[in-house]
Amino acid sequence: MMEKDKYIRFDWAVKRLLRNKANFDVLEGLLTVLLDRQIHIIDILESESNQQDYDDKFNRVDIKARDSKNEIIIVEVQVTRELYFLERILYGVAKAITEHMALGDLYSEVKKVYSISILYFDIGKGNDYLYHGQNTFTGVHTGDHLQVTVKERDALVQRLPSEIFPEYFLIRVNEFDKVATTPLEEWLDYLKNDHIRPDTTTPGLKEAREKLVYYNMNPTERADYDRHVDAIMIQNDVLGTAKLEGKIEGKIEGRIEGRIEGRAEGKAEGRAEGKAEGRAEGKAEGKAEGLIEGEEKGVFKVARNMKKMGVSLDTIVLSTGLTEEEIERL
């Protein structure tokens, strides 16, 4: 990348630049590509969760906007992991809905909300870089989607829950590893690598090439930006080191536990095998001893019968292998 083509990170742009009406077209381009319809931002809606914090280098930054359809779009950029991340997204959407209903308004005035989270950390398992979710009602047996009948301008209208309930988009920046060929992929290439094609026609990115150039900032702004990037790199290094140390400690502990468990299992298996072998050997020896004893008893019985029949002592000795003394005792 040539120095003149060095672009500002998107998380910094959201924090400092894209809130200005003159730069709405950059954000409008991203939303147009993502939502697949032309988005025109009317204004930025301020709330206590939407205030800029210039001392915050790692935490989330967000924009809450209203589009030309009077719908609310929340765009969050989060560089590092937060606990209860999904719960916080849900809370932010619920708060946006209630904040922008006047006391006494009818429920028909509820605004549809789009929650778009641009995440620079791993939130779990999944093979895609873009996930979308929404409340739907599906027939348990039929599989069809429920249409709700509502009264609008004195007429009954069939409306899908998707026209009312919030939509959630999770953009997993670090999971993107493709060559950018579509407008969405070009946006991911910028979000991850700060890269914009010189000949891009993608909505928002052609404007970003003019408005988010690093060297367009004055020296003070560049110094603030450089500190921001350095802080993020240090933070990522700290997190990466902690993760690596955790893996090493886990492997060591696993090996120790494995050896202890292996020894215990080996002793148990050895005892079991020893018992089994001992039983088998005992049976074999018992059989052998039994045969020997049986044979011995048989010889004495034969000698006793021969003696009763008057067979000579020498013949009994030769036939049975017993001694004269043993035969005389019979």
Side-chain angles (χ1 to χ4, degrees):
M1 181 187 298
M2 297 175 61
E3 288 204 342
K4 66 177 182 178
D5 292 332
K6 184 176 179 180
Y7 299 104
I8 299 167
R9 285 173 55 101
F10 189 74
D11 60 299
W12 181 267
V14 168
K15 185 185 284 282
R16 300 295 183 91
L17 302 173
L18 301 187
R19 299 170 188 267
N20 300 330
K21 196 173 185 69
N23 297 328
F24 280 1
D25 49 6
V26 176
L27 189 59
E28 286 173 346
L30 170 61
L31 300 177
T32 294
V33 169
L34 189 62
L35 301 181
D36 198 24
R37 65 181 175 87
Q38 189 66 43
I39 298 294
H40 178 59
I41 296 175
I42 303 300
D43 54 7
I44 298 296
L45 305 172
E46 292 298 340
S47 67
E48 51 184 64
S49 66
N50 199 42
Q51 302 294 327
Q52 297 184 52
D53 182 357
Y54 288 96
D55 295 324
D56 179 15
K57 292 184 173 58
F58 312 122
N59 208 355
R60 61 188 174 90
V61 289
D62 62 78
I63 284 181
K64 183 164 62 174
R66 178 165 44 220
D67 70 4
S68 53
K69 292 177 65 176
N70 207 26
E71 294 177 332
I72 297 171
I73 301 172
I74 300 172
V75 181
E76 279 190 358
V77 182
Q78 192 168 330
V79 176
T80 56
R81 175 184 289 277
E82 278 189 13
L83 288 175
Y84 309 114
F85 151 71
L86 291 177
E87 290 86 343
R88 185 179 52 69
I89 289 178
L90 175 62
Y91 176 78
V93 167
K95 202 164 188 295
I97 293 171
T98 56
E99 276 181 343
H100 299 284
M101 278 190 70
L103 189 63
D105 274 353
L106 299 174
Y107 285 121
S108 59
E109 297 301 314
V110 168
K111 304 291 188 293
K112 176 163 179 178
V113 176
Y114 296 85
S115 172
I116 298 164
S117 299
I118 302 171
L119 309 174
Y120 287 84
F121 58 89
D122 184 18
I123 63 169
K125 292 183 178 179
N127 299 322
D128 210 332
Y129 57 84
L130 176 63
Y131 286 84
H132 172 252
Q134 187 182 27
N135 298 53
T136 58
F137 296 96
T138 306
V140 173
H141 303 100
T142 60
D144 67 314
H145 292 290
L146 178 67
Q147 289 186 339
V148 181
T149 302
V150 296
K151 189 173 184 180
E152 192 171 280
R153 297 186 185 88
D154 298 322
L156 291 178
V157 179
Q158 295 290 331
R159 180 175 293 176
L160 289 170
S162 61
E163 299 175 72
I164 303 166
F165 282 93
E167 294 187 39
Y168 302 87
F169 293 85
L170 301 182
I171 302 175
R172 303 168 72 211
V173 175
N174 294 337
E175 297 303 313
F176 178 75
D177 59 359
K178 302 175 66 176
V179 175
T181 57
T182 68
L184 180 60
E185 290 169 353
E186 282 195 47
W187 260 103
L188 262 295
D189 191 21
Y190 165 57
L191 294 176
K192 182 176 182 178
N193 305 312
D194 306 328
H195 173 256
I196 304 174
R197 284 172 44 183
D199 60 345
T200 186
T201 58
T202 293
L205 289 182
K206 55 185 178 182
E207 291 81 8
R209 277 184 57 81
E210 300 173 4
K211 299 179 178 182
L212 302 185
V213 178
Y214 174 80
Y215 288 99
N216 284 354
M217 293 188 290
N218 63 46
T220 302
E221 291 171 333
R222 284 205 299 270
D224 287 344
Y225 176 78
D226 290 341
R227 281 194 296 271
H228 169 76
V229 173
D230 288 344
I232 288 174
M233 291 176 67
I234 292 169
Q235 179 75 354
N236 287 338
D237 186 54
V238 169
L239 293 174
T241 301
K243 197 177 288 185
L244 179 61
E245 288 175 351
K247 284 183 179 178
I248 293 171
E249 289 175 4
K251 284 183 179 178
I252 293 171
E253 290 174 2
R255 285 178 180 173
I256 292 171
E257 290 174 2
R259 285 177 182 173
I260 293 171
E261 290 175 2
R263 286 177 181 172
E265 289 174 3
K267 284 182 179 178
E269 289 175 3
R271 286 174 183 167
E273 290 175 3
K275 285 181 180 178
E277 290 174 2
R279 286 175 184 167
E281 290 173 1
K283 285 181 181 179
E285 289 173 1
K287 285 182 180 178
E289 289 174 0
L291 290 172
I292 292 169
E293 288 178 5
E295 287 178 2
E296 289 177 352
K297 287 180 180 179
V299 168
F300 282 109
K301 187 175 181 180
V302 169
R304 190 180 293 112
N305 290 334
M306 292 177 72
K307 188 176 180 181
K308 286 180 181 179
M309 293 171 61
V311 178
S312 67
L313 185 62
D314 292 339
T315 301
I316 296 173
V317 170
L318 290 171
S319 300
T320 62
L322 298 176
T323 64
E324 291 182 2
E325 290 78 11
E326 289 173 329
I327 294 170
E328 288 175 354
R329 287 198 297 270
L330 294 175

Short mmCIF file of all heavy atoms in Angstrom, two decimals, residues 112 134-138 145-148 159-167:
data_model
loop_
_atom_site.label_atom_id
_atom_site.label_comp_id
_atom_site.label_asym_id
_atom_site.label_seq_id
_atom_site.Cartn_x
_atom_site.Cartn_y
_atom_site.Cartn_z
N LYS A 112 -38.68 -0.35 13.84
CA LYS A 112 -37.85 -1.52 13.60
C LYS A 112 -36.39 -1.13 13.80
O LYS A 112 -35.96 -0.05 13.40
CB LYS A 112 -38.06 -2.08 12.20
CG LYS A 112 -37.12 -3.25 11.92
CD LYS A 112 -37.53 -4.09 10.76
CE LYS A 112 -36.52 -5.20 10.55
NZ LYS A 112 -36.84 -6.10 9.45
N GLN A 134 -32.91 -13.21 13.48
CA GLN A 134 -34.13 -12.46 13.72
C GLN A 134 -35.18 -13.37 14.34
O GLN A 134 -35.18 -14.58 14.11
CB GLN A 134 -34.66 -11.86 12.41
CG GLN A 134 -35.84 -10.92 12.63
CD GLN A 134 -36.38 -10.37 11.31
OE1 GLN A 134 -36.25 -11.01 10.28
NE2 GLN A 134 -36.99 -9.20 11.35
N ASN A 135 -36.08 -12.77 15.11
CA ASN A 135 -37.21 -13.53 15.64
C ASN A 135 -38.16 -13.89 14.51
O ASN A 135 -38.59 -13.02 13.76
CB ASN A 135 -37.99 -12.71 16.67
CG ASN A 135 -37.13 -12.35 17.87
OD1 ASN A 135 -36.06 -11.80 17.73
ND2 ASN A 135 -37.61 -12.66 19.05
N THR A 136 -38.48 -15.16 14.39
CA THR A 136 -39.50 -15.60 13.42
C THR A 136 -40.40 -16.61 14.12
O THR A 136 -39.99 -17.26 15.09
CB THR A 136 -38.89 -16.24 12.16
OG1 THR A 136 -38.08 -17.35 12.57
CG2 THR A 136 -38.04 -15.25 11.39
N PHE A 137 -41.62 -16.75 13.60
CA PHE A 137 -42.55 -17.74 14.12
C PHE A 137 -42.82 -18.75 13.02
O PHE A 137 -43.41 -18.42 11.99
CB PHE A 137 -43.85 -17.06 14.57
CG PHE A 137 -43.64 -16.10 15.71
CD1 PHE A 137 -43.48 -14.74 15.45
CD2 PHE A 137 -43.58 -16.53 17.01
CE1 PHE A 137 -43.28 -13.85 16.48
CE2 PHE A 137 -43.38 -15.65 18.05
CZ PHE A 137 -43.23 -14.30 17.80
N THR A 138 -42.39 -19.98 13.26
CA THR A 138 -42.48 -21.04 12.24
C THR A 138 -43.40 -22.14 12.75
O THR A 138 -43.32 -22.55 13.91
CB THR A 138 -41.09 -21.63 11.95
OG1 THR A 138 -40.20 -20.56 11.60
CG2 THR A 138 -41.14 -22.63 10.82
N HIS A 145 -44.35 -19.72 7.75
CA HIS A 145 -44.09 -18.56 8.58
C HIS A 145 -45.40 -17.81 8.85
O HIS A 145 -46.18 -17.55 7.94
CB HIS A 145 -43.08 -17.62 7.90
CG HIS A 145 -41.71 -18.22 7.80
ND1 HIS A 145 -40.90 -18.41 8.88
CD2 HIS A 145 -41.01 -18.69 6.73
CE1 HIS A 145 -39.77 -18.96 8.50
NE2 HIS A 145 -39.82 -19.15 7.19
N LEU A 146 -45.61 -17.48 10.11
CA LEU A 146 -46.84 -16.83 10.53
C LEU A 146 -46.91 -15.40 10.00
O LEU A 146 -45.93 -14.64 10.10
CB LEU A 146 -46.92 -16.81 12.05
CG LEU A 146 -48.13 -16.12 12.66
CD1 LEU A 146 -49.41 -16.89 12.34
CD2 LEU A 146 -47.97 -15.97 14.16
N GLN A 147 -48.06 -15.03 9.45
CA GLN A 147 -48.34 -13.65 9.07
C GLN A 147 -49.34 -13.09 10.07
O GLN A 147 -50.36 -13.73 10.38
CB GLN A 147 -48.92 -13.57 7.66
CG GLN A 147 -47.91 -13.86 6.57
CD GLN A 147 -48.49 -13.62 5.18
OE1 GLN A 147 -49.69 -13.61 4.99
NE2 GLN A 147 -47.62 -13.41 4.22
N VAL A 148 -49.04 -11.91 10.58
CA VAL A 148 -49.90 -11.30 11.59
C VAL A 148 -50.80 -10.28 10.93
O VAL A 148 -50.34 -9.46 10.12
CB VAL A 148 -49.04 -10.61 12.69
CG1 VAL A 148 -49.93 -10.00 13.75
CG2 VAL A 148 -48.08 -11.63 13.31
N ARG A 159 -48.94 -8.78 7.84
CA ARG A 159 -47.55 -8.36 8.05
C ARG A 159 -46.75 -9.50 8.67
O ARG A 159 -47.21 -10.16 9.61
CB ARG A 159 -47.50 -7.13 8.96
CG ARG A 159 -46.09 -6.62 9.22
CD ARG A 159 -46.11 -5.33 10.01
NE ARG A 159 -46.68 -4.23 9.24
CZ ARG A 159 -46.88 -3.01 9.73
NH1 ARG A 159 -46.58 -2.75 10.98
NH2 ARG A 159 -47.38 -2.06 8.97
N LEU A 160 -45.57 -9.73 8.15
CA LEU A 160 -44.69 -10.74 8.71
C LEU A 160 -43.99 -10.20 9.95
O LEU A 160 -43.68 -9.00 10.03
CB LEU A 160 -43.63 -11.16 7.69
CG LEU A 160 -44.11 -11.99 6.50
CD1 LEU A 160 -43.01 -12.10 5.46
CD2 LEU A 160 -44.53 -13.38 6.96
N PRO A 161 -43.70 -11.06 10.94
CA PRO A 161 -42.92 -10.62 12.09
C PRO A 161 -41.58 -10.01 11.69
O PRO A 161 -41.06 -9.14 12.38
CB PRO A 161 -42.73 -11.91 12.90
CG PRO A 161 -43.91 -12.75 12.55
CD PRO A 161 -44.18 -12.44 11.11
N SER A 162 -41.03 -10.45 10.54
CA SER A 162 -39.74 -9.90 10.09
C SER A 162 -39.82 -8.42 9.77
O SER A 162 -38.79 -7.73 9.71
CB SER A 162 -39.26 -10.67 8.86
OG SER A 162 -40.18 -10.55 7.80
N GLU A 163 -41.04 -7.90 9.56
CA GLU A 163 -41.21 -6.47 9.29
C GLU A 163 -41.25 -5.66 10.58
O GLU A 163 -41.25 -4.43 10.53
CB GLU A 163 -42.49 -6.25 8.49
CG GLU A 163 -42.51 -6.93 7.14
CD GLU A 163 -43.86 -6.78 6.46
OE1 GLU A 163 -44.15 -5.66 6.00
OE2 GLU A 163 -44.61 -7.77 6.39
N ILE A 164 -41.30 -6.35 11.71
CA ILE A 164 -41.47 -5.67 13.00
C ILE A 164 -40.29 -5.93 13.93
O ILE A 164 -39.74 -5.00 14.52
CB ILE A 164 -42.78 -6.15 13.68
CG1 ILE A 164 -43.98 -5.89 12.77
CG2 ILE A 164 -42.96 -5.48 15.04
CD1 ILE A 164 -45.23 -6.61 13.19
N PHE A 165 -39.89 -7.20 14.03
CA PHE A 165 -38.88 -7.55 15.02
C PHE A 165 -37.48 -7.10 14.57
O PHE A 165 -37.19 -7.00 13.38
CB PHE A 165 -38.87 -9.07 15.24
CG PHE A 165 -39.99 -9.53 16.12
CD1 PHE A 165 -41.18 -9.95 15.57
CD2 PHE A 165 -39.86 -9.53 17.51
CE1 PHE A 165 -42.23 -10.37 16.37
CE2 PHE A 165 -40.90 -9.95 18.32
CZ PHE A 165 -42.09 -10.37 17.75
N PRO A 166 -36.60 -6.82 15.56
CA PRO A 166 -35.23 -6.39 15.23
C PRO A 166 -34.47 -7.45 14.44
O PRO A 166 -34.78 -8.64 14.50
CB PRO A 166 -34.58 -6.19 16.61
CG PRO A 166 -35.73 -6.03 17.56
CD PRO A 166 -36.83 -6.87 17.01
N GLU A 167 -33.48 -6.98 13.69
CA GLU A 167 -32.56 -7.88 12.99
C GLU A 167 -31.15 -7.65 13.54
O GLU A 167 -30.77 -6.52 13.85
CB GLU A 167 -32.59 -7.63 11.48
CG GLU A 167 -33.91 -7.99 10.82
CD GLU A 167 -33.85 -7.89 9.30
OE1 GLU A 167 -32.81 -8.28 8.73
OE2 GLU A 167 -34.83 -7.42 8.70
#
